Amino acid sequence: MPKPSTLSLVAAGALAALMLAPTNPATAYEPLVEKQSITIPAFTTQGGATIPDMTLGWEAYGTLNAARDNAVLITHYFSGNSHAAGRYDADDAAPGYWDSIIGSGKPIDTDTYYVISMDTPVNLGAHDPHVITTGPATVNPDTGRPWGMAFPILTIRDFVETQTALLDTLGITRLHAVMGASMGSLQAYEWASTHPDRVARVIPVIGSGWADADLIAWLNVWGAPIRLDPHWNGGEYYDGEPPTRGLAEALKIVTLHAQSPEWSNGLFGRTWASPDANPADSFDNRFQVEAVLDAAGAARARTSDANHFLYLAKANQLFYTGHGDSLVKGLLDIEAPVLIIHTNEDLIFPGDAVRETATLIKSDGTPVDIVELQGTRGHLDGVLSIGQAGAAIRAFLTEE
C-alpha cells in the first residue's frame, strides 16, 4: 500500500496557491511598483459594440527616454495580470511573475528599456485588489448594475486595442518589442500582425498563432463547471451567491492542463492526502494530487470572477492571428523579427503547433528564431523557466 509522502497538506496548500500565479524567488527590487490606471471613455469592440468608461490597470518599470522609442510591452497570460516584475510593497512574499528577466541588469534591462504591462479587460482577477479591469463584474454606467453576460464579447484584438490606447496616451508610437506568455503570446502575434508599423520585435512565449480545434474544445471543458453550477444562473449572480464551486473546479482543470505528467507523477505519485485516510475506504478520502488541485482552485477562485473566466475563454477560442480573412495572411503580415520561446512538453500549445506557426511566419522571409525550454512543468515552464532563454532574449533585444 503506498504511503503518503512527507509533503504536508499545509505545504501542499502553499504550492496550490502558486500554481495559477507562478512567481520567482524573492529578490530585492527598487523602486517599488506603482499601479496606475487608464480610462477609455468609449471603447469600440471589434464586434461594433461600445463600452463606456473602459478602465484598466497598468504598471511600468524603468524610464521612458526622450525619443519615446525604448518601450517594451509585456502582455499577460490567461490567469495573470499586469504585475510582471517588482513588488508593490517591500513585504510582498514574491515579485511579479517574470521578475527573473525584467529589471536592472536583467535580460529586459530596465536601465535601458521602459517596460509596460497592462491588465486586460475581463481580467480573471476581477476581485484582486491589485487588478483594475472592466468586464461583466463591473457596473455598466448606463444601467447602474453589473454588466453580467450583457457585456460585449471581446477578442484578443480588443485587448491589443486597449493597449494601443495606453501607448497613444503616453506618446509611444513604436515599441522596441512586444513579449507575452500563453494568452500574452497571442496578443504579441496580434500586435505584430495588425500594427506592423508599431512593433520592431516580437517575442511570443508558449503560444501558437491560432486556437486550433483541440484548444477550442479544451477551453469549453475549462468553462463547463461554471456553466453547470446552479449559482451561475446564466451569469446573473451578482445579487446573490456566486458560482464559487464551479469556478474553483474550472480553475483546477486549468491548473492541471498547464502542468505536465512529469510534475504530477514526480511530485505526488499515488500518495494519499492524509496518512490515515485511505482513498479505497471512502469517496471523501483523496489522493494528494487531488487535494493540491482542489486547494489551487479554491485559492484562486477567491479573487476571480466566473463570468470573466468565460469571457477570457471565449476570447482565446476566437483567436487567430490578424482576425482577418485567413490565418495564413495574418501570420504573413508579421514583418518584425520574431523570437519564439516554447516547451515541447506543453499540453495547451503543443510544440508541433508552435513550429508550424514559425514556419508560416518565416515562409516569406521574416526572420524567426526558436528557443525550446527544458523542464517538468509543461506549459508553466514558459513562466517558471523563462530564465533559460535570458541570453537569447537579451541578444534579440539588442540586435540592429
Side-chain angles (χ1 to χ4, degrees):
M1 180 181 296
K3 295 181 179 180
S5 74
T6 56
L7 181 64
S8 68
L9 282 180
V10 172
L15 174 62
L18 295 176
M19 286 182 180
L20 287 172
T23 55
N24 300 290
T27 55
Y29 188 93
E30 294 292 343
L32 296 177
V33 176
E34 177 187 0
K35 190 79 173 192
Q36 304 179 68
S37 68
I38 178 176
T39 297
I40 305 169
F43 179 78
T44 302
T45 73
Q46 295 299 299
T50 298
I51 302 171
D53 298 337
M54 173 77 85
T55 302
L56 303 168
W58 65 284
E59 50 195 71
Y61 330 100
T63 302
L64 185 62
N65 64 15
R68 299 180 183 271
D69 62 359
N70 68 329
V72 174
L73 177 66
I74 303 296
T75 49
H76 68 73
Y77 51 95
F78 186 97
S79 62
N81 56 55
S82 61
H83 195 41
R87 288 178 169 79
Y88 298 121
D89 188 275
D91 295 329
D92 286 353
Y97 63 91
W98 265 351
D99 193 76
S100 64
I101 58 169
I102 299 172
S104 177
K106 297 177 183 180
I108 306 177
D109 193 343
T110 51
D111 296 332
T112 301
Y113 306 113
Y114 181 62
V115 184
I116 305 169
S117 186
M118 188 176 184
D119 295 332
T120 63
V122 301
N123 191 282
L124 179 63
H127 307 299
D128 183 330
H130 290 302
V131 170
I132 303 171
T133 188
T134 295
T138 57
V139 173
N140 179 349
D142 292 339
T143 66
R145 294 180 53 78
W147 281 89
M149 299 301 282
F151 196 78
I153 289 175
L154 299 182
T155 64
I156 296 298
R157 175 72 173 274
D158 288 312
F159 296 174
V160 166
E161 295 309 323
T162 65
Q163 295 152 13
T164 65
L166 173 61
L167 297 183
D168 289 345
T169 299
L170 297 174
I172 299 171
T173 59
R174 184 170 170 82
L175 290 162
H176 186 78
V178 181
M179 177 178 180
S182 191
M183 186 181 79
S185 75
L186 310 187
Q187 296 167 70
Y189 286 122
E190 190 71 3
W191 258 103
S193 177
T194 60
H195 296 287
D197 58 326
R198 299 190 69 166
V199 180
R201 298 164 185 78
V202 59
I203 310 177
V205 181
I206 51 173
S208 60
W210 64 94
D212 62 13
D214 188 67
L215 180 57
I216 290 169
W218 267 111
L219 287 160
N220 176 274
V221 171
W222 287 10
I226 293 172
R227 297 188 297 271
L228 293 172
D229 188 321
H231 292 300
W232 181 58
N233 190 34
E236 297 299 323
Y237 55 80
Y238 293 109
D239 291 331
E241 183 73 21
T244 304
R245 184 172 180 180
L247 177 58
E249 290 296 310
L251 290 164
K252 181 171 75 174
I253 294 171
V254 177
T255 303
L256 182 60
H257 198 191
Q259 300 281 358
S260 81
E262 290 182 85
W263 168 80
S264 51
N265 291 326
L267 187 58
F268 304 108
R270 293 183 51 81
T271 57
W272 305 346
S274 171
D276 301 319
N278 185 347
D281 294 338
S282 170
F283 278 98
D284 293 329
N285 299 342
R286 299 173 294 172
F287 288 94
Q288 192 173 69
V289 67
E290 295 178 286
V292 169
L293 289 170
D294 284 341
R300 191 56 194 262
R302 286 193 284 271
T303 57
S304 302
D305 182 82
N307 283 340
H308 282 231
F309 184 108
L310 296 177
Y311 272 77
L312 283 173
K314 175 66 78 173
N316 280 262
Q317 285 179 314
L318 294 173
F319 175 72
Y320 62 99
T321 301
H323 286 278
D325 294 332
S326 78
L327 167 63
V328 172
K329 183 180 185 305
L331 292 173
L332 292 179
D333 283 343
I334 295 176
E335 299 175 357
V338 181
L339 174 65
I340 295 178
I341 301 170
H342 80 113
T343 167
N344 214 39
E345 307 304 315
D346 196 331
L347 298 178
I348 298 177
F349 290 102
D352 286 347
V354 175
R355 286 186 286 271
E356 185 177 355
T357 298
T359 297
L360 288 170
I361 294 173
K362 66 183 179 182
S363 64
D364 65 351
T366 300
V368 179
D369 290 318
I370 301 179
V371 173
E372 184 173 321
L373 302 173
Q374 303 299 318
T376 61
R377 301 300 296 274
H379 188 66
L380 280 183
D381 272 320
V383 175
L384 300 175
S385 302
I386 192 64
Q388 292 179 22
I393 294 168
R394 187 190 300 274
F396 185 70
L397 291 176
T398 57
E399 287 178 357
E400 294 296 333

